[in-house]
C-alpha cells in the first residue's frame, strides 16, 4: 500500500499540494514507561487515544520463505523467538541475531473499552522493507518502503470477544533499487520505529499544515479530513498562550467538505530562532454533535531563504532574513546497540544538545530519514537540520526512481512543519545516479534531466525550504539552491583548496556543475569536510582536533564560503573522526592545557581571530615575526566596541621550563559582520631553542572572553648538543642529552620499534630500554651539588596495525563487509578519551632505583604539538599527536658516585608485570616537550 495524493489532486497545480498531507502534533504518552521508547513517536501529530505496541513480540526468521505457503499468519505456527520492538533484528537491543532477510512478528493486544465506538488504526513509524499485515488471520494489506510511516485501518477485522492477534511479515531481501543509505553500519531490517494503535472517530483530521509568513505576520493553515463530512460540523483552532488556550479561528464545516484552508493573523509574531526556539502550540478540533476529534500540534514562525553577507556580495543562507554562517556536523544517527534506533528519547535529545554544546548551529541528517522525535528536539532546542533522502546502490532505473519519489514525498509529508528543517538533500555524492556503461559508472544526461525534474517537483511540494539536487564530491550539480561540495584533506592543505574553490565561484562559472550547467548565485556551502578520508587509506582513529583546528582557521579566512559540515558528530563503524566516540563517550582535545579555558567552542565562536596559516612553524632563535591577524565576525551582535585583544608569547625551553617572553594589549574596533585584516603582531622570538606558544584572547568591555586561539613556533637551529655547560650564581649546570633511539639494549615481550627514524621509540608489553653514556671527563662527583633526569614518557599499547601480520583496513564500508577495526588502519594513533591505557616504569641509574613512575595513558591530542608538526606530509600519519608525561627524577648521590667510578652512566627504564602497559620515549622533535632525555647536573 502506498499513501497516494488523491485528495491533493483536487488542487492540481497548487505548489503546496503535499502540504495538505502533513501531520504535526504534541501530546503526552499514556502508556507504561517500562516499554522501549514509550513516548508518542510523533510529537508533530498526536491524539490522546493511542496505545504503544513497542516491547516484546514473538518472532521467527523465514530463511527459505516458506511462511506464506505454510500460513504462519493463522496463529497455529509458533514463532520460536522473541524480539524487542522497535529495534531492527540483528541489533543488540533487538535480542535476536541477524539470520535471514525475512522475519515474522506476532503479538496480541486488548482494546480499551472506551475505544469501542472508534475506528482503530495501526501505525508503524518505519519498517524495512516490504511489510504485510494480518489481524486475527485476515490479511489487512502491505506496504513497500523502509523509512517513512504507514498505517492501516483495522476496524472491520477486529474480533469482538477475544484479544486481537496481530501478525507482520517483513521482507528485507536485497534489491538494487532499495533505499539503504549506509546500512553497512548496521542494517535497519524489520521494524525500527515505534508501532502504535490509534483510535479515531468516524470522520477524523488527517493532516495539518502550517506555512509561516513572518513578513505578513500570519500563518497559512491547511487542514484535511480523511473523508468528506456528511453533516454540519465545526472546526476550531486553539493557540496556547502561557499554557492557556486562546481561540484563534472557528469555521463551520458543511457536508461534502474534506479540506479547509485559511490564514491566521499573528500580530507581532514570536519568531523561532536558534537562541529562542519558540513554538506555537495549537489544538485543532473537529467537533460534531456526537464526537470530538482533537489533535495537538505545533509550528514555528520562521523564514528560510538566501541573502548576502552584509558588506559583501557573498550569498548566504538566511534565517528570518538574517545571514547565518552555518557550522554543521554530519550526523549519521547510528547507535552501537540499536543501529538506526536509539534506546531512549533522552538519547535523541542529547544528540541535539551535544551539537549545541559545541557551539554548532546545524546538523546534516545523513542518508537516513531520522526519527520525528529527534526533529522535535531540534525544533524545541533550536538547531537547524539539513535532511538527506536515503540512497540506493543500484542504477537509476524506474524502480529506483519510484522508490526515491515515494520516500521523498513521504518525508516531506511527515516533516513539513518542523521549523528546524531548512534544506532537503535529494542525493549524496551521486550515489544511485550512475549507470554502468563501457566499464564506467556514468551520470547520464537523461538521469540529470530526471534529477532536475525532481528538484522542481520538490520545490512545488515544499516551497519553504532550500533544495539540493546532490551533495557532491565530483562537481556533479545540475540544479540546486546550494552550491555545495565535499572535501577531505589534511589540515595543512585546506588554505590552497579554499583559495581554488573561492576563485572559481561566481555566477556563470562551470566549477562544481556538470557540463552544460553553470552556477547562478547560490550560497557556496561545504556539505562534508574533514580529514577522515584525507590520508591514504583514510585516517583510522587519530586526534581529529589538530587538522580540524587548521581547517576552521582556513574557513574563517574565506568568508565567501557560507558554512561547513564536519564529518562527523560521532564515530561510526569505519570512521573515527567524530566529536564523540560511537558510545558517545568524550574525546579530549587538550586545548585547555595550551590556552586556559579554550575548548572547541572557541573554534565555533561568532568572533574569530585567524593567525599564522600553520599551527606550528619552525623558526631560528631570535627571529623576528610579523604575525598576520584577521578578525572574522559572523554576527550582528552588539557587544560594545572596541574589543580588547590580548596576546602573550610563552616559551617552553629545552628543559621543559616555562616562562612568559612577551605580551601586548590593543583595542580593536568591531562592526557587525566584519571580515577584516588587522595590523600584524610584531614580535621577536626567544633566542634559545624551545617551543613558543602565542595565545590571543578577544574580550568584550566587561572582560568576558569571546574567543581564544593560538599558534606555535618550534625554535631551533639544528639538533641540541649532547653536552652543554652553563655557569650561574648557584653553580655550573651540566647538560647531558641522549636521543631516544640511542639505546644500547632493548628487550620487549611484544614488540619494539622506532618512529620516524627514532624521533620516538616504542616498546610494548613488559621489557626495558637501556642507555649507556660516557661520564663527562671534566666532572668530578666531589663538585656535584644535585643531579636530575628529565624525560618525556608515556605508556605504549600494541595496536592491531603494529602487529607484524597486520593488514590494512579494507572492504566496502558503505554497504557492509570489510574490517571495522579502528586501530588496524596504518595511520591510527587513538585520540585521548575516557579509557586509559596505563603503565608503570621503574627508572634506575647504575643500578640505583630513582623511582617508580605511573604513566596514566598512551595519549594523543592537540598537546602533541611537535608530533603533529614534524609529520613528513607524505599522505600518511606516524603516531601524530602522541605525547608523554614529564618525568623529573632526582638522582641520589650514591648513583652518581657509581656512575663516576664506572666512568659511564647506565640508565635503564623497566616495565614489569605490575602494570605492563609498555613504554614510549620522546625526543626534542616529537611529543609535547621540546627536549631529548636529559641529565641535569649542577656542580660548584
Amino acid at each position: 500500500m502506498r499513501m497516494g495524493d488523491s485528495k491533493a489532486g483536487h488542487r492540481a497545480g497548487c505548489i503546496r499540494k503535499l502540504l495538505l498531507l502533513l501531520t504535526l502534533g504534541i501530546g503526552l504518552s499514556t502508556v507504561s514507561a517500562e516499554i522501549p521508547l514509550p513516548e508518542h513517536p510523533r510529537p508533530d501529530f498526536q491524539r490522546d487515544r493511542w496505545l504503544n505496541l513497542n516491547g516484546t513480540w514473538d518472532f521467527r526468521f523465514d530463511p527459505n520463505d516458506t511462511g506464506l505457503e505454510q500460513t504462519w499468519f493463522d496463529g497455529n505456527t509458533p514463532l520460536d523467538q522473541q524480539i524487542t520492538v522497535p529495534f531492527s533484528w540483528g541489533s543488540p537491543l533487538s535480542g535476536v541475531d541477524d539470520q535471514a532477510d525475512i522475519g515474522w512478528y506476532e503479538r496480541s493486544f486488548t482494546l480499551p473499552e472506551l475505544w469501542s465506538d472508534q475506528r482503530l488504526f495501526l501505525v508503524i513509524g518505519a519498517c524495512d522493507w516490504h511489510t504485510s499485515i494480518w489481524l486475527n488471520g485476515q490479511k489487512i494489506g502491505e506496504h513497500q518502503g523502509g523509512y517513512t510511516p504507514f498505517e492501516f485501518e483495522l476496524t472491520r477485522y477486529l474480533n469482538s470477544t477475544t484479544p486481537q492477534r496481530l501478525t507482520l511479515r517483513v521482507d528485507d531481501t536485497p534489491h538494487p533499487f532499495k533505499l539503504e543509505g549506509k546500512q553497512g553500519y548496521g542494517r535497519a531490517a524489520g521494524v525500527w520505529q515505534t508501532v502504535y494503535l490509534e483510535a479515531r472517530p468516524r470522520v477524523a483530521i488527517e493532516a495539518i499544515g502550517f506555512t509561516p509568513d513572518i513578513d505578513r505576520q500570519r500563518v497559512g493553515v491547511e487542514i484535511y479530513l480523511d473523508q468528506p463530512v456528511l453533516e454540519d460540523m465545526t472546526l476550531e483552532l486553539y493557540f496556547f498562550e502561557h499554557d492557556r488556550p486562546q481561540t484563534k479561528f472557528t469555521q463551520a464545516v458543511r457536508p461534502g467538505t474534506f479540506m479547509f484552508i485559511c490564514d491566521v493573523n499573528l500580530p507581532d509574531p514570536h519568531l523561532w530562532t536558534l537562541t529562542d526556539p519558540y513554538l506555537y502550540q495549537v489544538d485543532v478540533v473537529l467537533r460534531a454533535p456526537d464526537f470530538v476529534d482533537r489533535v495537538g500540534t505545533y509550528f514555528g514562525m520562521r523564514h528560510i531563504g538566501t541573502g548576502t553577507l552584509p558588506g559583501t556580495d557573498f550569498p548566504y543562507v538566511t534565517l528570518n532574513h538574517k545571514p547565518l554562517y552555518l557550522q554543521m556536523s554530519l550526523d549519521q544517527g547510528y547507535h552501537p546497540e540499536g543501529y538506526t534506533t536509539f534506546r531512549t528519547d533522552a538519547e535523541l535529545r542529547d544528540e541535539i544538545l551535544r551539537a549545541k554544546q559545541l557551539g554548532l548551529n546545524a546538523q546534516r541528517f545523513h542518508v537516513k530519514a531520522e526519527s520525528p522525535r529527534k526533529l522535535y528536539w531540534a525544533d524545541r532546542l533550536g538547531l537547524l537540520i539539513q535532511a538527506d533522502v536515503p540512497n540506493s546502490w543500484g542504477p537509476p532505473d524506474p524502480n529506483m526512481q519510484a522508490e526515491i519519489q515515494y520516500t521523498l514525498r513521504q518525508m516531506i509529508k511527515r516533516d513539513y512543519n518542523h521549523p528546524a528543517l531548512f534544506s532537503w538533500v535529494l542525493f549524496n555524492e551521486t550515489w544511485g545516479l550512475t549507470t554502468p556503461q563501457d566499464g564506467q559508472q556514468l551520470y547520464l544526461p537523461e538521469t540529470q534531466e530526471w534529477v532536475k525534474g525532481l528538484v522542481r517537483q520538490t520545490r512545488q511540494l515544499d516551497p519553504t525550504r532550500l533544495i539540493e539536487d546532490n551533495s557532491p564530491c565530483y562537481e556533479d550539480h545540475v540544479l540546486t539552491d546550494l552550491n555545495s561540495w565535499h572535501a577531505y584533506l589534511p589540515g595543512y592543505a585546506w588554505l590552497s583548496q579554499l583559495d581554488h574553490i573561492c576563485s572559481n565561484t561566481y555566477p556563470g562559472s562551470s566549477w562544481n556543475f556538470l557540463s552544460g550547467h553553470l552556477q547562478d548565485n547560490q550560497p557556496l556551502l561545504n556539505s562534508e569536510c574533514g580529514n577522515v578520508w584525507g590520508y591514504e587509506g583514510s585516517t583510522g582513529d587519530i586526534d581529529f582536533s589538530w587538522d580540524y583546528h587548521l581547517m576552521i582557521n582556513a574557513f574563517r579566512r574565506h568568508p565567501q564560503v557560507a558554512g561547513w559540515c564536519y564529518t562527523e558528530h560521532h564515530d561510526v563503524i569505519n570512521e573515527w573522526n567524530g566529536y564523540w566516540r560511537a558510545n558517545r563517550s568524550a574525546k579530549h582535545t587538550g586545548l585547555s592545557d595550551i590556552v586556559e579555558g579554550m575548548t572547541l567552542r572557541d573554534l565555533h565562536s561568532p568572533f574569530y581571530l585567524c593567525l599564522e596559516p600553520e599551527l606550528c612553524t619552525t623558526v631560528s632563535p631570535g627571529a623576528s615575526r610579523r604575525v598576520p591577524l584577521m578578525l572574522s565576525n559572523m554576527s550582528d551582535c552588539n557587544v560594545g566596541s572596541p574589543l580588547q585583544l590580548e596576546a602573550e608569547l610563552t616559551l617552553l625551553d629545552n628543559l621543559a621550563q616555562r616562562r612568559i617572553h612577551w605580551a601586548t594589549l590593543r583595542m580593536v574596533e568591531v562592526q557587525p559582520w566584519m571580515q577584516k585584516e588587522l595590523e600584524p603582531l610584531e614580535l621577536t622570538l626567544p633566542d634559545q631553542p624551545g617551543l613558543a606558544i602565542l595565545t590571543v584572547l578577544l574580550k568584550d568591555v566587561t572582560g568576558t572572553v569571546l574567543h581564544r586561539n593560538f599558534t606555535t613556533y618550534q625554535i631551533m637551529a639544528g639538533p641540541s648538543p649532547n653536552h652543554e655547560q652553563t655557569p650561574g650564581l648557584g653553580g655550573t649546570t651540566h647538560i647531558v642529552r641522549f636521543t631516544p633511539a640511542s639505546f644500547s639494549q632493548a628487550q620487549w615481550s611484544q614488540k619494539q620499534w622506532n618512529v620516524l627514524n627514532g624521533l620516538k621509540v616504542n616498546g610494548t608489553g613488559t621489557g626495558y630500554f637501556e642507555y649507556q653514556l660516557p661520564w663527562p671527563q671534566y666532572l668530578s662527583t666531589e663538585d656535584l651539588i644535585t643531579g636530575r633526569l628529565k624525560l618525556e614518557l608515556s605508556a605504549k599499547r600494541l595496536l592491531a596495525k603494529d602487529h607484524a601480520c597486520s593488514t590494512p583496513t579494507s572492504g566496502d564500508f558503505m554497504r557492509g563487509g570489510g574490517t571495522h577495526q579502528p586501530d588496524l588502519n596504518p595511520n591510527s594513533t587513538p585520540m585521548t578519551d575516557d579509557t586509559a591505557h596505563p603503565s608503570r616504569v621503574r627508572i634506575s641509574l647504575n643500578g640505583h632505583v630513582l623511582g617508580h613512575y605511573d604513566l596514566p595513558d598512551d595519549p594523543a591530542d592537540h598537546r602533541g604539538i611537535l608530533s603533529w608538526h614534524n609529520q613528513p606530509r607524505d599522505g600518511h600519519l606516524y603516531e601524530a599527536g602522541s605525547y608523554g608525561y614529564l618525568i623529573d627524577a632526582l638522582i641520589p648521590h650514591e648513583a652518581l658516585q657509581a656512575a663516576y667510578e664506572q666512568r659511564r652512566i647506565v640508565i635503564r627504564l623497566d616495565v614489569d608485570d605490575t602494570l605492563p602497559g609498555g613504554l614510549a620515549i620522546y625526543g626534542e622533535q616529537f611529543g609535547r616537550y621540546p627536549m631529548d632525555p636529559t641529565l641535569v647536573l649542577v656542580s660548584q
Side-chain angles (χ1 to χ4, degrees):
M1 180 187 75
R2 291 185 184 265
M3 306 296 290
D5 294 335
S6 59
K7 294 180 181 177
H10 287 276
R11 301 179 65 223
C14 175
I15 64 173
R16 295 186 293 170
K17 67 178 179 180
L18 199 56
L19 171 61
L20 314 177
L21 298 175
L22 300 181
T23 57
L24 195 62
I26 58 173
L28 297 175
S29 170
T30 58
V31 298
S32 168
E34 295 177 359
I35 67 171
L37 297 168
E39 302 82 6
H40 194 286
R42 293 289 306 274
D44 47 319
F45 192 99
Q46 183 171 340
R47 291 180 169 88
D48 290 337
R49 292 183 177 182
W50 72 285
L51 180 66
N52 195 315
L53 296 185
N54 290 346
T56 302
W57 290 53
D58 293 331
F59 183 78
R60 183 174 180 178
F61 282 111
D62 189 2
N64 299 316
D65 194 13
T66 59
L68 282 173
E69 181 181 349
Q70 297 174 7
T71 65
W72 289 7
F73 50 81
D74 63 10
N76 296 319
T77 303
L79 306 187
D80 55 5
Q81 289 184 274
Q82 289 190 321
I83 190 170
T84 302
V85 170
F87 303 107
S88 57
W89 71 63
S91 70
L93 289 176
S94 75
V96 298
D97 296 328
D98 193 346
Q99 299 174 10
D101 292 326
I102 300 175
W104 289 73
Y105 298 74
E106 190 167 275
R107 68 159 291 168
S108 296
F109 63 88
T110 300
L111 286 178
E113 292 183 8
L114 292 176
W115 293 14
S116 60
D117 61 343
Q118 302 283 298
R119 292 186 296 156
L120 182 67
F121 287 79
L122 173 71
V123 185
I124 298 178
C127 185
D128 200 356
W129 168 71
H130 187 279
T131 308
S132 303
I133 296 179
W134 292 261
L135 184 66
N136 299 321
Q138 299 181 74
K139 181 74 172 286
I140 304 296
E142 54 190 63
H143 173 269
Q144 178 176 307
Y147 283 91
T148 53
F150 55 97
E151 63 181 42
F152 298 94
E153 184 174 355
L154 307 182
T155 312
R156 67 190 182 97
Y157 301 95
L158 292 171
N159 187 320
S160 61
T161 59
T162 63
Q164 315 298 318
R165 179 171 45 83
L166 183 63
T167 307
L168 277 64
R169 175 187 181 271
V170 183
D171 183 346
D172 197 36
T173 304
H175 298 280
F177 58 85
K178 271 178 56 181
L179 307 188
E180 296 188 48
K182 289 189 177 181
Q183 290 193 34
Y185 295 160
R187 68 169 177 156
V191 176
W192 65 276
Q193 287 194 31
T194 292
V195 181
Y196 64 103
L197 299 172
E198 186 176 72
R200 304 174 192 171
R202 66 177 186 273
V203 179
I205 298 166
E206 180 179 292
I208 306 165
F210 296 99
T211 301
D213 186 340
I214 67 171
D215 297 320
R216 293 184 173 88
Q217 300 189 25
R218 66 188 185 188
V219 60
V221 185
E222 303 190 17
I223 300 169
Y224 276 74
L225 309 181
D226 63 358
Q227 58 187 296
V229 303
L230 301 178
E231 58 188 315
D232 287 339
M233 297 183 185
T234 304
L235 192 65
E236 302 162 351
L237 272 65
Y238 295 91
F239 283 55
F240 284 76
E241 298 177 9
H242 308 293
D243 295 327
R244 298 181 63 183
Q246 305 290 327
T247 304
K248 285 291 185 180
F249 204 90
T250 301
Q251 175 69 41
V253 180
R254 303 302 181 193
T257 301
F258 71 88
M259 70 175 183
F260 183 77
I261 301 173
C262 69
D263 289 326
V264 176
N265 293 325
L266 294 173
D268 193 21
H270 193 153
L271 299 186
W272 185 92
T273 69
L274 299 179
T275 55
D276 182 16
Y278 182 80
L279 299 174
Y280 282 87
Q281 309 288 340
V282 183
D283 273 3
V284 179
V285 179
L286 179 66
R287 195 179 300 277
D290 58 343
F291 73 81
V292 172
D293 189 26
R294 182 185 300 268
V295 174
T297 182
Y298 69 81
F299 69 93
M301 285 293 287
R302 65 97 178 95
H303 177 271
I304 297 295
T306 61
T308 56
L309 184 69
T312 76
D313 58 359
F314 306 151
Y316 269 56
V317 174
T318 59
L319 173 62
N320 302 332
H321 304 307
K322 291 184 178 181
L324 188 67
Y325 184 63
L326 288 168
Q327 300 187 104
M328 305 190 290
S329 66
L330 191 79
D331 184 358
Q332 311 215 50
Y334 175 80
H335 190 284
E337 296 180 20
Y339 296 170
T340 46
T341 309
F342 280 68
R343 181 171 39 201
T344 67
D345 188 54
E347 288 180 336
L348 289 172
R349 176 202 63 202
D350 290 350
E351 294 291 275
I352 303 300
L353 284 174
R354 285 188 180 96
K356 289 187 68 70
Q357 287 163 0
L358 284 180
L360 304 180
N361 55 23
Q363 295 273 73
R364 180 180 170 202
F365 287 171
H366 192 39
V367 291
K368 171 193 174 187
E370 258 297 359
S371 161
R373 290 204 66 91
K374 194 168 180 180
L375 281 166
Y376 162 72
W377 285 116
D379 295 338
R380 187 169 170 182
L381 296 172
L383 189 76
L384 287 173
I385 300 298
Q386 188 175 52
D388 289 11
V389 179
N391 66 282
S392 76
W393 292 99
D397 58 22
N399 285 328
M400 173 273 196
Q401 293 181 9
E403 287 284 309
I404 283 285
Q405 289 172 315
Y406 171 71
T407 301
L408 173 61
R409 288 198 307 270
Q410 295 302 308
M411 289 176 69
I412 297 173
K413 168 187 172 180
R414 189 193 75 172
D415 297 333
Y416 182 93
N417 286 333
H418 289 287
L421 206 160
F422 79 94
S423 169
W424 296 108
V425 182
L426 306 188
F427 294 93
N428 178 72
E429 295 184 347
T430 325
W431 297 343
L433 292 177
T434 59
T435 301
Q437 194 173 97
D438 300 327
Q440 302 181 67
Q441 290 289 334
L442 301 179
Y443 187 6
L444 298 175
E446 53 265 37
T447 306
Q448 297 171 32
E449 290 303 311
W450 173 72
V451 170
K452 286 193 284 187
L454 193 61
V455 171
R456 295 185 184 104
Q457 291 174 34
T458 308
R459 285 173 175 169
Q460 290 183 328
L461 298 174
D462 188 354
T464 70
R465 293 181 173 90
L466 303 173
I467 314 300
E468 197 173 338
D469 63 333
N470 183 26
S471 192
C473 58
Y474 300 115
E475 303 183 8
D476 281 345
H477 278 309
V478 291
L479 179 65
T480 182
D481 295 331
L482 296 170
N483 188 2
S484 60
W485 49 275
H486 296 182
Y488 292 99
L489 304 165
Y492 58 80
W494 273 96
L495 274 174
S496 59
Q497 177 76 356
L498 290 171
D499 286 345
H500 167 76
I501 289 172
C502 291
S503 65
N504 284 280
T505 298
Y506 50 85
S509 170
S510 62
W511 177 80
N512 210 29
F513 281 70
L514 283 169
S515 177
H517 305 85
L518 301 175
Q519 294 180 29
D520 192 358
N521 196 34
Q522 304 97 331
L524 177 64
L525 178 69
N526 170 269
S527 51
E528 284 189 34
C529 64
N531 69 314
V532 65
W533 304 110
Y535 296 89
E536 186 176 331
S538 83
T539 52
D541 187 359
I542 65 162
D543 161 37
F544 77 88
S545 65
W546 181 270
D547 275 331
Y548 185 82
H549 192 170
L550 279 166
M551 181 183 73
I552 299 301
N553 281 349
F555 270 118
R556 292 305 286 262
R557 282 196 171 276
H558 292 81
Q560 190 170 347
V561 182
W564 46 262
C565 178
Y566 174 66
T567 304
E568 57 207 295
H569 181 270
H570 55 270
D571 293 352
V572 289
I573 295 297
N574 64 314
E575 297 174 357
W576 305 283
N577 269 28
Y579 295 118
W580 287 273
R581 295 287 180 202
N583 64 3
R584 305 316 191 263
S585 60
K587 297 183 180 183
H588 302 290
T589 65
L591 287 167
S592 62
D593 280 1
I594 300 171
V595 182
E596 184 179 358
M598 186 172 182
T599 69
L600 286 176
R601 284 188 68 95
D602 286 284
L603 302 183
H604 308 144
S605 169
F607 297 91
Y608 200 100
L609 285 167
C610 302
L611 302 170
E612 298 273 11
E614 300 281 356
L615 280 178
C616 190
T617 307
T618 299
V619 297
S620 300
S624 297
R625 197 78 184 177
R626 284 174 57 87
V627 182
L629 275 180
M630 177 190 170
L631 177 59
S632 169
N633 178 14
M634 287 296 183
S635 77
D636 61 354
C637 183
N638 181 14
V639 295
S641 188
L643 301 182
Q644 183 171 295
L645 190 160
E646 297 179 6
E648 182 178 276
L649 187 70
T650 302
L651 176 67
L652 185 65
D653 68 19
N654 58 6
L655 290 177
Q657 300 172 125
R658 189 182 302 271
R659 63 180 173 85
I660 296 174
H661 175 75
W662 170 89
T664 190
L665 183 150
R666 70 167 68 164
M667 308 309 289
V668 179
E669 295 291 336
V670 179
Q671 291 83 39
W673 311 109
M674 188 177 86
Q675 313 292 314
K676 183 179 180 181
E677 294 284 348
L678 305 179
E679 284 296 316
L681 292 173
E682 304 273 359
L683 57 88
T684 301
L685 291 159
D687 60 0
Q688 65 184 102
L691 180 67
I693 302 173
L694 175 64
T695 65
V696 291
L697 305 180
L698 197 63
K699 297 182 177 181
D700 67 13
V701 293
T702 69
T704 300
V705 178
L706 303 174
H707 172 62
R708 303 167 182 86
N709 211 344
F710 71 89
T711 191
T712 63
Y713 301 92
Q714 179 183 250
I715 305 172
M716 62 184 304
S720 296
N722 291 338
H723 296 271
E724 278 187 289
Q725 295 185 66
T726 305
L729 294 177
T732 300
T733 300
H734 307 268
I735 304 296
V736 180
R737 298 185 179 90
F738 55 98
T739 62
S742 64
F743 54 85
S744 56
Q745 297 183 65
Q747 183 175 326
W748 290 90
S749 62
Q750 294 180 340
K751 184 179 180 180
Q752 192 283 310
W753 72 102
N754 298 348
V755 179
L756 292 177
N757 298 316
L759 297 185
K760 172 188 177 183
V761 300
N762 296 324
T764 53
T766 60
Y768 68 90
F769 287 109
E770 183 174 288
Y771 297 85
Q772 296 192 21
L773 313 172
W775 181 263
Q777 295 182 357
Y778 54 82
L779 192 60
S780 167
T781 55
E782 295 177 359
D783 300 326
L784 287 178
I785 301 173
T786 61
R788 309 191 76 85
L789 175 62
K790 304 183 78 168
L791 314 94
E792 182 179 351
L793 308 176
S794 73
K796 182 59 192 174
R797 53 179 162 146
L798 187 68
L799 304 176
K801 73 182 179 77
D802 299 323
H803 288 279
C805 61
S806 66
T807 56
T809 305
S810 61
D812 186 348
F813 302 111
M814 305 305 181
R815 305 180 66 187
T819 303
H820 306 314
Q821 188 173 349
D823 64 349
L824 186 59
N825 187 284
N827 296 312
S828 291
T829 300
M831 186 175 180
T832 314
D833 60 13
D834 290 335
T835 303
H837 299 271
S839 188
R840 173 174 286 189
V841 60
R842 182 181 71 242
I843 303 177
S844 60
L845 190 145
N846 289 73
H848 294 264
V849 175
L850 308 187
H852 295 79
Y853 298 90
D854 288 331
L855 305 173
D857 202 1
D858 178 17
D861 56 54
H862 236 81
R863 286 166 282 196
I865 293 171
L866 296 167
S867 297
W868 269 111
H869 175 57
N870 290 298
Q871 293 293 311
R873 297 189 176 184
D874 61 357
H876 301 84
L877 293 174
Y878 306 88
E879 304 197 7
S882 62
Y883 65 94
Y885 305 93
L886 182 63
I887 304 298
D888 188 352
L890 179 66
I891 305 172
H893 186 77
E894 55 268 28
L896 293 172
Q897 184 64 35
Y900 173 71
E901 291 173 357
Q902 298 171 30
R903 292 297 188 269
R904 62 178 181 149
I905 303 168
V906 181
I907 299 171
R908 183 163 167 141
L909 297 91
D910 286 275
V911 173
D912 62 24
D913 58 6
T914 304
L915 200 58
L919 180 65
I921 306 173
Y922 297 79
E924 67 175 345
Q925 295 189 65
F926 220 74
R928 182 176 181 179
Y929 302 98
M931 56 175 284
D932 280 328
T934 301
L935 282 163
V936 182
L937 307 175
V938 179
S939 67
Q940 299 181 40

